[in-house]
Amino acid sequence: MKLTPSIPTPYYLIDETLLEHNLTILKDVKDQSGAKILLAQKAFSTYAFYPLIASYLDGTTSSGLYEAILAKEHFGKEIHVFGPAYKDHDIETMLPFVDHIVFNSNTQFHRYKDKALNAGKTIGIRINPEKSTQDAAHHMYDPCSITSRMGIKLQDIDSSIFPACSGFHFHTLCQQNADALEITFKEVERKFGAYFKHLRWINFGGGHHITRADYDREKLIKLIRYVKETYQLEVYLEPGEAVVLNAGFLVGTVIDIVHNDFPIALLDTSATCHYPDAIEMPFRPNVVGMDDEAPYQVRLAGGTCLSGDNFGVYGFPQPLKIGDSVIFEDAALYTMVKTTTFNGMPLPSIVRRDKKGNDTVIKSFDYDDFKGKLG
Ligand SMILES: *Cc1c(COP(=O)(O)O)cnc(C)c1O
């Protein structure tokens, strides 16, 4: 992959051609199914790309006040918000500009429903279908896990929320295919279907890996059409990952190589600070040019003092040298939104690669960004 050598590493590179490839797929799902699709900003909030995304999708969803403000300032269109627990200040600040507010409990629903309805907002409740479709290793990402605080269970539905409540929201998936959604929806229908007559919309949450090559889009489209036709409900999807899947890279440079059994390349980027899901999920991101069968094996390590700041062991056809670039793939999602300056690590700048292949730095950071949040 060609880089622009004058741009100093580390940086995230967002490729508009790859982003638009995903957006075209999502638009096609919208057109064929009649669903509305929102960007879940939790995964990607690099707002320089919002105008492009907004030209394909219907709006955004926010996890709380700050994301909602960002959506108002830079995305427009429909602004949805789901927060696990709102404070008075959140609701008062958001009310003038959000469209849909989803509550996580009966208490929160009743506390804010009059304010929201008087302001002309659409309000809904998050439900917990209690149907896990994720493997046990991903407990942390499973809102149907036994300790979940997300959504109300069937036994806790308070029928006095209707008719004020005009929608159900469920979000139970993570990087999953349409079969998992189908299983989940069947459970939602079986348990909560009696309440559908009160509703105008249903939100299937995120976690749909719609833009992945093996995703069964036909199954998704069929399910949405079934829900729309059978229950006359507006259907919303709010993917985060799928919008920017494989559309970004994290570019670093080898600063030194040390040895302990085998070579360890020390980079000017960091898993902990710049690609935290590599440690939290955990998984090993792919690197451009890697070949695990190749005889040269090297551990790619971050520039912090944390012993576990590692991306993993990779094979390359040629030994890495000091000064070489290392390009991590799929680095647009859950990266820029999660960076830290732990250890005084500089933040990567953000680079746009336009459709002609030209790279422009759209944001760079310095010492003040580290210092600024410390006092
Ligand atoms: C995280 C989240 C999403 C987006 O999930 P992805 O896995 O990034 O698609 C959507 N809705 C809610 C409520 C979420 O918490």
Side-chain angles (χ1 to χ4, degrees):
M1 183 175 143
K2 178 184 89 42
L3 295 174
T4 305
S6 58
I7 299 178
T9 60
Y11 60 88
Y12 297 105
L13 185 151
I14 311 298
D15 187 323
E16 288 192 328
T17 308
L18 300 174
L19 176 56
E20 203 154 28
H21 167 80
N22 291 344
L23 293 169
T24 308
I25 292 173
L26 295 171
K27 174 86 165 49
D28 184 59
V29 168
K30 264 160 51 69
D31 291 346
Q32 289 201 52
S33 68
K36 289 190 172 179
I37 301 188
L38 312 169
L39 165 70
Q41 295 178 96
K42 185 182 73 186
F44 182 80
S45 306
T46 308
Y47 52 90
F49 299 90
Y50 280 11
L52 176 63
I53 299 172
S55 69
Y56 287 88
L57 304 188
D58 298 287
T60 54
T61 191
S62 305
S63 320
L65 177 61
Y66 285 178
E67 287 183 2
I69 297 173
L70 192 69
K72 172 182 81 106
E73 289 180 349
H74 293 281
F75 202 105
K77 305 188 94 171
E78 288 188 33
I79 301 178
H80 294 229
V81 57
F82 162 77
Y86 304 106
K87 301 203 275 187
D88 293 352
H89 169 76
D90 302 335
I91 293 290
E92 273 151 32
T93 314
M94 286 186 306
L95 262 195
F97 59 84
V98 299
D99 301 302
H100 280 223
I101 306 175
V102 177
F103 297 99
N104 192 45
S105 73
N106 292 318
T107 314
Q108 285 252 308
F109 188 94
H110 287 299
R111 185 177 174 90
Y112 297 117
K113 75 165 190 290
D114 290 337
K115 262 201 175 117
L117 291 179
N118 289 339
K121 307 304 167 181
T122 299
I123 56 177
I125 196 120
R126 178 160 172 175
I127 55 171
N128 177 355
E130 298 178 78
K131 184 76 189 169
S132 284
T133 53
Q134 305 189 37
D135 57 53
H138 288 105
H139 189 74
M140 177 169 161
Y141 298 97
D142 184 359
C144 293
S145 69
I146 49 167
T147 57
S148 176
R149 66 192 183 290
M150 298 302 184
I152 57 178
K153 298 179 181 179
L154 178 62
Q155 71 205 47
D156 299 322
I157 283 265
D158 162 5
S159 53
S160 74
I161 62 173
F162 305 108
C165 176
S166 61
F168 278 160
H169 177 291
F170 65 87
H171 168 74
T172 69
L173 308 183
C174 180
Q175 304 186 333
Q176 281 165 283
N177 212 315
D179 54 349
L181 175 63
E182 193 175 63
I183 291 167
T184 306
F185 181 76
K186 281 198 177 133
E187 191 73 355
V188 168
E189 188 178 42
R190 189 176 72 76
K191 287 186 170 148
F192 297 88
Y195 296 107
F196 286 180
K197 61 176 184 291
H198 299 294
L199 307 181
R200 280 185 280 125
W201 54 273
I202 186 161
N203 186 322
F204 291 177
H208 322 283
H209 245 188
I210 301 170
T211 51
R212 200 174 71 199
D214 69 345
Y215 187 90
D216 188 349
R217 297 197 276 270
E218 285 314 310
K219 195 188 268 299
L220 172 68
I221 290 164
K222 228 175 101 188
L223 177 66
I224 295 166
R225 283 195 187 147
Y226 163 78
V227 174
K228 286 179 71 84
E229 282 159 21
T230 313
Y231 299 107
Q232 278 79 51
L233 294 175
E234 185 86 80
V235 174
Y236 287 96
L237 306 176
E238 46 182 35
E241 289 210 9
V243 178
V244 289
L245 193 66
N246 294 316
F249 303 86
L250 171 62
V251 184
T253 301
V254 177
I255 305 301
D256 196 9
I257 297 179
V258 297
H259 295 266
N260 187 357
D261 283 349
F262 53 84
I264 305 172
L266 290 145
L267 308 176
D268 63 354
T269 179
S270 156
T272 306
C273 298
H274 304 158
Y275 209 136
D277 277 1
I279 291 172
E280 284 179 23
M281 272 301 253
F283 78 108
R284 189 190 65 157
N286 286 334
V287 167
V288 174
M290 67 187 269
D291 173 5
D292 282 335
E293 305 304 313
Y296 176 75
Q297 298 279 313
V298 58
R299 184 181 296 281
L300 297 180
T304 69
C305 297
L306 177 77
S307 297
D309 186 359
N310 268 302
F311 290 90
V313 176
Y314 295 77
F316 289 99
Q318 303 292 328
L320 287 184
K321 307 181 301 303
I322 291 171
D324 282 351
S325 302
V326 173
I327 308 172
F328 293 95
E329 297 181 1
D330 201 14
L333 53 95
Y334 294 104
T335 50
M336 285 159 277
V337 290
K338 282 185 147 188
T339 49
T340 76
T341 55
F342 169 63
N343 238 244
M345 200 67 200
L347 293 171
S349 39
I350 301 174
V351 172
R352 176 206 306 270
R353 175 163 290 183
D354 68 20
K355 283 180 228 159
K356 295 190 187 118
N358 297 321
D359 295 342
T360 313
V361 179
I362 56 173
K363 176 78 185 177
S364 52
F365 303 91
D366 58 21
Y367 169 68
D368 290 339
D369 295 290
F370 163 64
K371 185 180 176 190
K373 69 173 189 184
L374 296 173

